Amino acid sequence: MKLEFTLNGRATDWEGAPVTRLAAALRDDLGLTGTKIGCDAGDCGACTVLLDGRQVCSCLVAMGQVEGRSVETVEGLSAADDSLSALQQSFLDHGAAQCGICTPGMLMAAQELVRRNGKPSRAEVEEALGGVLCRCTGYGKIVDAVMDVVAPAPATAPPAGEAIGSRIVRVDGPPKVTGRDVFGADGIPKDALWIRVVRSPHARAQFDLGDLEPLRRRLTAVLTAADVPFNGYGIYPDIKDQPVLADGLVRYRGEAVVALVGARAEVLAIGDDEVPITWRLEPPLFGVDAAMAEDAPLVQADRPGNLLLKGGVKRGDAAAAFEECAAVAEGTFETAFVEHAYIEPEAGWARRVGDRIEIHATTQTPYMDRDEIANLMRLKPEAVRIVPTACGGGFGGKLDLSVQPLLAIAAWTLGRPVAMVYTRPESMAASTKRHPARVSARFGCDAEGKLLSCDVTALFDTGAYASWGPTVANRVPVHAMGPYAIPNVRTWGEAFFTNGPPAGAFRGFGVPQAAIAHEAMMDELAGRLGIDRLEFRHRNALRAGDTTATGQTLAHSAGLAECLDALRPHWRKAHEEIAAFNEAGGPHRRGIGIGCMWYGIGNTSMSNPSRMRLGLSPGGTLTLYSGALDIGQGSNTIMVQIAADAVGLPAAQVDLVTGDTDLTADAGKTSASRQTFVSGKAAEKAGQDLRQQILRLANAGPEAILSLDGATLSVRDGGEVRTIDLATAGPLMGEGTFDPPTTPLDSDGQGVPYATYAFAAQLAKVEVDIELGTVKVLRIVAAHDVGRAINPTLVEGQIHGGVAQGLGLALMEEYLPGRTENLHDYLIPTVGDVPAIECLLIEDREPLGPSGAKGIGEPALVPTAPAILGAVHHATGVRAHRVPLLPHRLREAIVAQQRSKA
Ligand code: FES
Ligand code: FES
């Protein structure tokens, strides 16, 4: 069918099947990849465009419906001279785009609104954006950007030496608001072959492959386990337990079995039932109880008892100290598998370039990908080049390999570019999850409320493969006593293999699960002694000079007490408000809760260095070569701010090269909230190194002021100005490396697991419908000790996004294999679910960090669920022991409580 329509104001012809989805036609036929596809099912809104001026999900519109109509996409928002529209500029100025994958859809939904209402109310904005999901921002800055569109905040361009602490806009922001950012599915060469993976519908089964020759004749290739040079990968050098393609045995639903390679339409047309696989089902093991049972079959043959790892921390004598306690609280708390639900499904492409393989894919960790692919392919690491695309959200889920191995194998073998894009259900079935946990906690204190003892055991379901399970099992015992000074501690963690999806890294590495338990215990103890919950925590807060349960003395920067001080007025005011509300009676009850946390920045007791380079070319281009991947959190901007101030030139003069393993040094993975602290320090050192070289060339003192104008570098030292002609001086390159000082933990968990810790306290105010069991979070106040806020807008953005994910953890999100593998059955917070969030930034400087900075990515999430659950208890008297606290669970508990009182 041939049809004509108007696209961004221009008459456009298109030819194809009328059932073709508008999103596909825009992206694949018309080259407008600004429109994103997050689900292809009408659930996420990433594909939102305007059709005759009204927002629609373009994945649900057939091209046959477009004839004669007007379509507007994000590419049409900018003016002809490429200048940004007021709406785009407002998104940029407000920090409304983090990873940017939802941004085009958000912009188009907002565009419809602001075109008819230039000064919309908050409620109108929330209604307009209600169909577009964002997993990064918590929506607050997006809503602000739309409300302020007529008067965007002026962009700031700080002078030399003043970048740190300023709210400069993202250095990588413009492509995010114009739709030009290239995500994993956006840059695929036209001639690329396509891979579709056939996955196991069973959680545990043996299988035989039948005759694949008929399929091989239809397609370019059919790959099986036999085609993988070394068929095992995993995060740890000594645990390569996950096959790229299963070899006769599957251990979880969604495991890859066969890869079909050919023309895109051909591989997508082949049904799973056309691939000859004979299954022999075995009863799956679900949950840690099944895994621990004496007669449990083994998920991994070489793992007796299905145990992945165990370990703990021991200090003092916890058992004896409980005897001395005036109050003891205990409880067991369970959490579910939680899905990352980044809006960008895994995607990328690869090609063979001579004797090297080049992979362009969405990732959080280019160098780990490089080394892992080299291992799988039996190549040298130098033969692998990873070119990260823009990453449409990761949250830990893109630390594990996804599309990369099969892309590499197919492109290497076939000598042609090969692409792969996960569908949403495939992304959800195949990828890692947050570890389900069962945390049993016992805490005791004296009559004055001073904590004396704690005993915590955390059991984790690590699913079918190890992934980051050891990291979780190691990190949790160190954090399980919470951010409190407790002289007697016993904590213990164990992780078990099951036939659930592999549980991996997810924003917090198990600490959010543990925090639900230790914060409930703080509330219980405070309640028993009649001490205010905030004051109880303040009394016990770890402070500088205190010694932790691992025997580490916190020399500096332990700002929990300051966070609580900042929260106190909000806490008191909220109490007054809810007392007045609850006095009125009725089915709605309000409550407030508080959650505290601490979080060790970087790897646990392991080296995790970062290396950065800052170069000045003969032409006068100042370039930061950063291997630290920005997955939306803003590290590109943070690194530029730090490096600029360190060298002494304006941030606006710094160009950025990021991620490509051929062009940048290894800055480690984007995880463990480490990039600002670790890579930021490396960037600072690189800037200082370059500055020293410049000062030496100019024979100038340390206070000299630099200015760069083309190839001329001026150095003002006192009253004297010296100029350096860079064209003759040659290229200069500063380099910096930082590896946080830690020590291994001994068998009692004693040592220095982290060089520094972030601290936080959050307050949640909720309203519970007693009759329905629903919880509405009304407000969050988040006080975070970040050491130093390098860019307050980005820090706030991290807090907002972390709070939204914490809200989902507390109240909404539960991944059930085979049942919630899409974004209409698996619910994540929408703009209507996330309340107003007030951020209070505490800057207790960490001397090791760049300008005193620590980290914020994971700390933002950890205290939210405890605060919300504490507020629900305050409102209803129900203590949640199973999370998420879905309405039916809360209603059941309320009814049980009412019965027991009757
Ligand atoms: S891609 Fe269309 S709604 Fe998700
Ligand atoms: S910025 Fe919205 S999904 Fe990442």
Side-chain angles (χ1 to χ4, degrees):
M1 176 189 185
K2 248 189 181 170
L3 57 84
E4 293 176 1
F5 65 106
T6 305
L7 178 57
N8 294 328
R10 287 207 189 121
T12 302
D13 298 328
W14 178 87
E15 189 169 359
V19 294
T20 304
R21 294 164 189 251
L22 171 57
L26 289 169
R27 291 177 55 83
D28 302 336
D29 304 334
L30 298 162
L32 299 186
T33 55
T35 297
K36 307 302 179 190
I37 296 180
C39 69
D40 227 12
D43 297 322
C44 73
C47 64
T48 299
V49 301
L50 301 187
L51 183 61
D52 290 342
R54 303 296 302 272
Q55 59 165 299
V56 293
C57 290
S58 59
C59 71
L60 296 184
V61 174
M63 283 306 287
Q65 298 171 280
V66 172
E67 168 89 67
R69 300 174 75 179
S70 162
V71 174
E72 294 168 77
T73 70
V74 68
E75 288 88 350
L77 289 182
S78 311
D81 65 356
D82 262 6
S83 59
L84 301 181
S85 72
L87 181 63
Q88 289 169 308
Q89 189 64 49
S90 187
F91 265 56
L92 212 50
D93 293 341
H94 284 83
Q98 288 191 18
C99 80
I101 193 79
C102 73
T103 306
M106 285 289 183
L107 282 164
M108 298 318 293
Q111 174 76 356
E112 181 197 351
L113 173 66
V114 298
R115 193 176 273 164
R116 62 184 152 78
N117 180 357
K119 198 68 189 157
S121 67
R122 182 162 292 270
E124 287 168 328
V125 174
E126 288 184 3
E127 188 179 332
L129 303 184
V132 188
L133 295 176
C134 176
R135 192 56 157 168
C136 299
T137 63
Y139 303 100
K141 290 189 181 294
I142 296 175
V143 173
D144 289 346
V146 181
M147 290 180 72
D148 290 352
V149 70
V150 290
T156 51
E162 294 182 25
I164 289 174
S166 77
R167 293 177 180 267
I168 67 170
V169 299
R170 285 179 170 272
V171 298
D172 52 3
K176 296 182 190 298
V177 298
T178 55
R180 291 187 186 140
D181 223 357
V182 179
F183 292 88
D186 293 342
I188 294 170
K190 280 271 177 223
D191 62 342
L193 294 168
W194 209 262
I195 299 180
R196 185 174 88 71
V197 173
V198 178
R199 297 182 178 276
S200 170
H202 309 296
R204 183 186 182 98
Q206 299 200 46
F207 69 89
D208 293 312
L209 296 175
D211 183 6
L212 296 171
E213 283 313 308
L215 277 175
R216 289 197 164 109
R217 283 195 289 276
R218 282 170 67 186
L219 299 171
T220 309
V222 177
L223 303 177
T224 69
D227 297 298
V228 186
F230 179 79
N231 196 13
Y233 68 95
I235 301 305
Y236 284 77
D238 55 338
I239 314 178
K240 301 295 179 193
D241 62 353
Q242 184 159 5
V244 175
L245 291 168
D247 192 1
L249 171 69
V250 291
R251 299 182 175 89
Y252 75 102
R253 181 189 152 86
E255 182 154 7
V257 177
V258 170
L260 310 176
V261 192
R264 181 178 178 183
E266 284 173 7
V267 296
L268 297 184
I270 292 175
D272 281 7
D273 55 358
E274 293 179 71
V275 181
I277 306 173
T278 306
W279 298 103
R280 295 187 300 285
L281 305 193
E282 298 177 353
L285 281 183
F286 290 134
V288 293
D289 289 331
M292 291 190 298
E294 252 180 43
D295 57 348
L298 297 184
V299 176
Q300 300 278 351
D302 60 345
R303 295 289 184 165
N306 288 312
L307 182 69
L308 167 63
L309 196 83
K310 61 183 175 184
V313 171
K314 189 168 177 294
R315 187 164 182 83
D317 187 341
F322 276 117
E323 303 299 320
E324 312 297 319
C325 290
V328 174
E330 58 190 314
T332 296
F333 302 85
E334 298 197 31
T335 67
F337 282 115
V338 183
E339 157 67 21
H340 300 85
Y342 24 73
I343 303 302
E344 181 206 28
E346 295 79 351
W349 63 280
R351 66 179 174 182
R352 182 171 181 164
V353 183
D355 285 339
R356 301 184 77 210
I357 188 78
E358 189 178 293
I359 302 170
H360 301 245
T362 182
T363 181
Q364 294 181 230
T365 177
Y367 268 87
M368 269 176 65
D369 288 359
R370 183 197 71 157
D371 294 350
E372 194 77 276
I373 292 297
N375 195 42
L376 288 169
M377 302 282 294
R378 290 303 190 217
L379 296 171
K380 290 201 171 97
E382 301 73 43
V384 180
R385 179 181 186 183
I386 303 292
V387 187
T389 61
C391 179
F395 319 114
K398 290 175 182 169
L399 289 167
D400 290 69
L401 291 177
S402 59
V403 296
Q404 299 92 335
L406 287 170
L407 288 176
I409 292 162
W412 183 264
T413 314
L414 301 170
R416 291 183 54 184
V418 182
M420 188 174 183
V421 178
Y422 280 7
T423 64
R424 173 57 57 181
E426 182 177 26
S427 170
M428 294 180 76
S431 65
T432 60
K433 305 285 170 277
R434 183 183 293 289
H435 283 72
R438 181 187 299 152
V439 185
S440 300
R442 189 165 190 242
F443 281 70
C445 63
D446 67 17
E448 278 71 51
K450 265 310 250 179
L451 289 166
L452 294 179
S453 187
C454 105
D455 188 332
V456 180
T457 298
L459 305 181
F460 292 98
D461 178 348
T462 204
Y465 297 104
S467 180
W468 292 86
T471 310
V472 169
N474 279 331
R475 182 174 276 267
V476 168
V478 175
H479 290 81
M481 70 295 298
Y484 307 112
I486 311 179
N488 301 286
V489 170
R490 178 209 166 265
T491 60
W492 189 251
E494 297 184 4
F496 293 91
F497 291 103
T498 68
N499 292 116
F506 190 166
R507 207 168 189 171
F509 285 114
V511 177
Q513 296 94 306
I516 288 171
H518 65 63
E519 290 308 280
M521 296 297 93
M522 295 307 108
D523 284 355
E524 289 287 329
L525 289 175
R528 276 174 213 188
L529 294 176
I531 301 174
D532 176 88
R533 289 173 284 162
L534 183 148
E535 301 305 337
F536 184 88
R537 288 164 167 89
H538 195 277
R539 200 166 293 184
N540 290 289
L542 277 168
R543 292 168 165 83
D546 284 344
T547 299
T548 71
T550 70
Q552 176 181 3
T553 298
L554 300 176
H556 315 274
S557 190
L560 178 57
E562 289 81 355
C563 291
L564 290 165
D565 289 337
L567 272 191
R568 190 177 285 112
H570 301 270
W571 176 251
R572 289 186 179 152
K573 187 155 173 258
H575 267 97
E576 288 162 17
E577 286 167 4
I578 64 154
F581 180 89
N582 288 341
E583 249 175 43
H588 291 189
R589 301 280 303 171
R590 289 188 177 177
I592 64 169
I594 186 167
C596 293
M597 74 100 227
W598 66 324
Y599 196 82
I601 304 298
N603 289 0
T604 309
S605 286
M606 275 166 58
S607 168
N608 60 141
S610 180
R611 192 143 58 99
M612 292 276 179
R613 296 194 192 107
L614 184 65
L616 194 48
S617 75
T621 304
L622 180 65
T623 306
L624 178 66
Y625 299 89
S626 164
L629 267 208
D630 194 326
I631 60 172
Q633 84 282 26
S635 59
N636 282 344
T637 311
I638 297 290
M639 297 306 141
V640 165
Q641 288 179 264
I642 292 170
D645 276 9
V647 72
L649 288 165
Q653 287 191 308
V654 180
D655 282 356
L656 182 69
V657 170
T658 184
D660 186 331
T661 55
D662 271 13
L663 304 178
T664 64
D666 187 357
K669 58 203 186 302
T670 294
S671 78
S673 304
R674 60 179 290 284
Q675 291 297 20
T676 295
F677 179 60
V678 184
S679 294
K681 189 68 182 180
E684 183 182 82
K685 289 183 167 197
Q688 290 166 343
D689 184 26
L690 180 59
R691 181 176 174 84
Q692 287 307 319
Q693 294 177 37
I694 292 167
L695 296 182
R696 270 199 299 276
L697 274 178
N699 199 20
E703 305 302 325
I705 295 167
L706 311 187
S707 59
L708 181 63
D709 184 7
T712 304
L713 180 63
S714 303
V715 182
R716 176 186 296 276
D717 191 14
E720 198 179 334
V721 177
R722 291 164 208 151
T723 51
I724 298 171
D725 179 3
L726 292 167
T728 52
L732 302 174
M733 183 67 76
E735 191 166 304
T737 301
F738 180 60
D739 191 4
T742 62
T743 66
L745 298 177
D746 67 16
S747 59
D748 282 339
Q750 298 299 296
V752 178
Y754 310 101
T756 191
Y757 298 80
F759 291 84
Q762 291 184 3
L763 171 164
K765 181 171 160 188
V766 307
E767 183 172 308
V768 180
D769 185 322
I770 302 287
E771 291 171 352
L772 297 177
T774 52
V775 178
K776 174 88 183 148
V777 183
L778 302 173
R779 187 161 181 248
I780 298 280
V781 185
H784 282 261
D785 167 21
V786 297
R788 173 85 160 109
I790 302 291
N791 185 322
T793 300
L794 297 177
V795 173
E796 290 161 3
Q798 284 300 289
I799 294 173
H800 290 183
V803 164
Q805 291 186 355
L807 187 156
L809 171 68
L811 299 176
M812 301 170 75
E813 300 187 35
E814 181 163 21
Y815 177 78
L816 301 167
R819 288 172 53 193
T820 58
E821 289 168 356
N822 55 64
L823 291 173
H824 56 262
D825 292 311
Y826 186 90
L827 299 179
I828 64 172
T830 68
V831 67
D833 295 312
V834 182
I837 300 166
E838 185 170 347
C839 300
L840 309 171
L841 303 186
I842 307 299
E843 296 186 312
D844 189 352
R845 309 275 169 107
E846 165 53 59
L848 283 172
S851 294
K854 299 193 281 192
I856 184 60
E858 288 151 303
L861 178 149
V862 178
T864 308
I868 291 171
L869 298 171
V872 171
H873 179 264
H874 189 224
T876 64
V878 169
R879 176 77 62 207
H881 289 270
R882 185 161 171 211
V883 168
L885 187 57
L886 298 171
H888 73 278
R889 289 182 185 144
L890 179 54
R891 177 65 190 147
E892 272 172 27
I894 290 170
V895 169
Q897 187 187 56
Q898 287 167 344
R899 282 208 189 107
S900 71
K901 281 186 187 161

